[in-house]
Amino acid sequence: MLEAALASLRQILTPPFRSVLYKSLGLTLLLLALAWAGLDKLALSVAVVDHPLLRTILAFATGAGLLVALAFLIGPISILVAGFFVDDLAAHVEREIYPAGRTGKPAPPLDALMMTLRFSLVSAVVNLMALLLLFVPGVNAVAFLLANAYLFGREYFALAATRFRSPAEADDLRQHNSVKIFFAGLFIAGFVMTPGLNLLTPLFGTAFMVRIHKMLSPEPR
């Protein structure tokens, strides 16, 4: 598993992965900038303050609040954007680790869209949990790590497995290897919990779980 993680780390620095990284980062920053501008304008229009000093304090408080909110949203948004490229990345990894002709099939467009939205929703829920757990000393980091390991391990394994088998078969394979997939999810959780690296989560998670699926299913159909 450690070898698969190291191989995935090396692979996210290769040109195909860097290309997806640049595109997803650009779109993510654009969406965040639009969200910042819209939310800032909305907040200042709702709270009408005539006194100059109070208006300045309100502007700073609003900016600080938006900064915190967008810091937690950057993970879900980056996953949402990168989700449209993960099938291409998975195919690239498969061409390296499977014999010729053994690459999987991308999900139908509607299924792929639903999976991308689910990825982003899972990330948003986990980040919301982290925000709430900040107020529970001694529990927040551990709970956040375990939740990330379970949820992201499950989601990225589903992405890799459904390229070779039906969703029901993929879920059955996951259940039979739940402990291994949970430990694999800890590697992804490390990315999610590290500022800066969390933007690379979709790239690493895809490359890593394609390899884990190969380990757990040497002869995919």
Side-chain angles (χ1 to χ4, degrees):
M1 195 173 289
L2 179 59
E3 183 180 348
L6 292 174
S8 300
L9 278 174
R10 290 192 295 268
Q11 192 164 37
I12 63 177
L13 300 176
T14 59
F17 279 73
R18 288 204 306 269
S19 174
V20 170
L21 174 62
Y22 297 151
K23 288 186 286 188
S24 62
L25 279 180
L27 291 171
T28 297
L29 292 176
L30 175 61
L31 289 175
L32 287 174
L34 292 174
W36 175 286
L39 291 173
D40 184 61
K41 186 175 181 180
L42 176 64
L44 293 178
S45 66
V46 171
V48 180
V49 179
D50 293 330
H51 195 283
L53 178 59
L54 292 178
R55 187 172 180 83
T56 301
I57 294 174
L58 177 62
F60 276 108
T62 301
L66 287 175
L67 186 62
V68 172
L70 293 179
F72 279 91
L73 284 175
I74 192 169
I77 291 177
S78 65
I79 288 175
L80 176 63
V81 173
F84 294 101
F85 307 104
V86 293
D87 262 316
D88 292 337
L89 296 178
H92 179 75
V93 178
E94 290 163 0
R95 283 193 291 269
E96 287 196 5
I97 63 177
Y98 290 127
R102 302 295 290 180
T103 55
K105 296 180 180 179
L110 182 58
D111 291 345
L113 176 61
M114 295 304 296
M115 185 174 292
T116 296
L117 292 175
R118 191 172 73 237
F119 270 20
S120 185
L121 179 60
V122 166
S123 180
V125 169
V126 169
N127 277 276
L128 177 60
M129 289 169 55
L131 181 61
L132 296 176
L133 288 172
L134 284 176
F135 303 100
V136 187
V139 177
N140 48 9
V142 175
F144 189 39
L145 177 68
L146 296 179
N148 272 306
Y150 174 75
L151 293 171
F152 284 103
R154 177 189 180 107
E155 294 300 320
Y156 279 100
F157 184 79
L159 166 72
T162 51
R163 288 177 56 81
F164 291 93
R165 58 193 75 242
S166 69
E169 290 173 326
D171 190 58
D172 184 63
L173 181 63
R174 181 189 60 79
Q175 291 182 23
H176 279 83
N177 296 277
S178 58
V179 175
K180 294 178 181 178
I181 293 171
F182 173 77
F183 278 106
L186 288 172
F187 287 87
I188 302 176
F191 267 71
V192 176
M193 294 181 68
T194 306
L197 282 183
N198 58 351
L199 295 175
L200 302 176
T201 301
L203 282 68
F204 175 76
T206 301
F208 184 50
M209 276 303 179
V210 167
R211 288 177 166 83
I212 296 300
H213 175 254
K214 169 65 174 175
M215 291 167 54
L216 300 178
S217 179
E219 294 296 333
R221 287 180 287 179

